[in-house]
Amino acid sequence: MKIDSQCLEFACLNSRIDKLEQGNVCITTEEAKIQIDKSDVDMKSLQRVTNDENADQGQGQAGQSESASPPPKGCYFKVGRAPHIYWSVTGKPDRQDLKFESPEAYNIHRKKHGWPQDWSGIVITPAPGCYWKHKEDPTVYYSQTKAGIKQLSFADEKAFLKHRQECGFKRDWSGIVKIERGNYWKASKLPHVHWNAMTARPPAEVTFLNADEYLQHRLAHGMAQDWSDIKVVCGAYWQRKGNPTIWWAEDGKHGTETLSFPDVGTYLAHRKLLGFPPDFSAVAKI
């Protein structure tokens, strides 16, 4: 069988084109070169278009990410005239989570948390709270709300003055609220609690009818909201033989002249507060 040379050449060309479509580009005929050049141009064009689309898509995603990113958490703030800057993680100037000791430390922190390295966005809060003390005691306390609450006490004058400066107060002893502590007391035989400014015995200046009254009074006088520091009072009544004057001894010892009674009414009222019967029983004669 005789095979035409043109048919054989065409068959070889088709075979090589098939290989080209399969990724084999090692042919030398002019037709194949034309196919290679065309394929190469098309692939490069396709790649360029794809890269452009990817770039546009990436920029769009970056823009969305930047616009959707949440603002930096926390806040920087100062208190009153104090020079120090603080950081609060809550985003409100309500807690001093970090105090900056230098501008360098402050700027490093701002950069780390996505804030511009400047002095913008610093919240200035008024100096809260007050300093107070009991009239009967030299200890000074600090309260963020009102006088009478013991949130902080100071070991010495240096600590006190430093705290005042940091909170924006003058470095002196001005503006200290003085509260009368007084004395809480009760009779050993009775449940009621009483309060006196100077003494812890009858007659009572204030008698509390319920727990709410008592606790509110303690709060106003800078005392703990509990049942501590209540003196239990009993004492003893006595009189000297041949002398009508009746005495009450706070320490319970006959002969101690703590209090005498100018009349019968005062004497009976005193006995009532201590839970004694309203009579002349239990009066020792010495």
Side-chain angles (χ1 to χ4, degrees):
M1 180 178 180
K2 184 177 179 180
I3 301 175
D4 188 4
S5 60
Q6 289 183 350
C7 292
L8 181 60
E9 183 178 355
F10 181 76
C12 290
L13 179 59
N14 285 337
S15 175
R16 291 181 181 181
I17 291 175
D18 290 340
K19 291 181 180 179
L20 174 63
E21 292 175 350
Q22 295 174 7
N24 189 341
V25 296
C26 298
I27 59 176
T28 57
T29 62
E30 189 66 21
E31 291 84 355
K33 285 182 180 180
I34 294 173
Q35 291 294 331
I36 292 173
D37 292 341
K38 182 178 180 181
S39 176
D40 188 45
V41 170
D42 292 341
M43 290 298 293
K44 288 181 179 179
S45 300
L46 178 61
Q47 185 66 35
R48 187 180 301 111
V49 171
T50 302
N51 290 341
D52 292 341
E53 291 177 350
N54 289 339
D56 293 338
Q57 184 177 4
Q59 289 178 359
Q61 292 176 349
Q64 292 177 359
S65 175
E66 182 177 354
S67 61
S69 60
K73 294 182 179 179
C75 75
Y76 298 91
F77 71 97
K78 294 176 63 179
V79 180
R81 298 186 299 271
H84 304 291
I85 297 177
Y86 302 93
W87 167 257
S88 170
V89 299
T90 65
K92 301 178 181 179
D94 55 359
R95 48 187 279 181
Q96 299 176 2
D97 294 304
L98 183 62
K99 173 184 173 183
F100 301 101
E101 301 294 341
S102 66
E104 291 77 15
Y106 163 79
N107 283 319
I108 290 174
H109 189 274
R110 285 180 70 97
K111 181 179 180 181
K112 180 179 178 181
H113 286 77
W115 290 70
Q117 297 179 62
D118 54 26
W119 304 97
S120 64
I122 299 177
V123 179
I124 300 178
T125 64
C130 66
Y131 298 91
W132 68 274
K133 65 180 294 296
H134 283 124
K135 293 180 180 179
E136 306 89 339
D137 192 282
T139 305
V140 177
Y141 301 94
Y142 172 75
S143 169
Q144 288 186 327
T145 53
K146 62 181 181 179
I149 298 178
K150 298 179 181 179
Q151 290 185 316
L152 180 65
S153 61
F154 306 97
D156 50 42
E157 179 180 356
K158 182 179 179 181
F160 167 71
L161 295 177
K162 180 181 179 182
H163 187 272
R164 285 181 67 94
Q165 181 182 24
E166 290 180 350
C167 288
F169 291 85
K170 294 180 179 179
R171 286 179 58 91
D172 58 21
W173 297 85
S174 63
I176 299 176
V177 180
K178 295 179 176 61
I179 295 178
E180 191 170 51
R181 178 174 55 194
N183 302 279
Y184 294 91
W185 62 275
K186 68 180 293 294
S188 60
K189 300 180 180 182
L190 297 174
H192 297 298
V193 178
H194 312 278
W195 180 86
N196 288 9
M198 301 297 295
T199 65
R201 54 181 168 78
E205 295 178 29
V206 179
T207 298
F208 304 104
L209 301 179
N210 55 60
D212 288 338
E213 284 186 5
Y214 164 77
L215 293 175
Q216 286 297 323
H217 190 277
R218 287 181 69 96
L219 177 63
H221 287 262
M223 300 294 288
Q225 304 296 285
D226 56 26
W227 301 89
S228 62
D229 297 312
I230 300 175
K231 183 179 180 179
V232 178
V233 181
C234 182
Y237 297 94
W238 66 275
Q239 67 180 156
R240 291 184 176 89
K241 292 179 180 180
N243 191 323
T245 302
I246 297 177
W247 292 85
W248 179 74
E250 186 174 8
D251 60 8
K253 297 178 180 180
H254 300 152
T256 301
E257 297 180 352
T258 304
L259 180 67
S260 64
F261 305 100
D263 53 61
V264 174
T266 304
Y267 163 74
L268 294 177
H270 189 277
R271 287 178 67 93
K272 182 179 180 180
L273 281 174
L274 293 183
F276 288 85
D279 54 28
F280 291 89
S281 64
V283 179
K285 293 179 172 59
I286 61 174

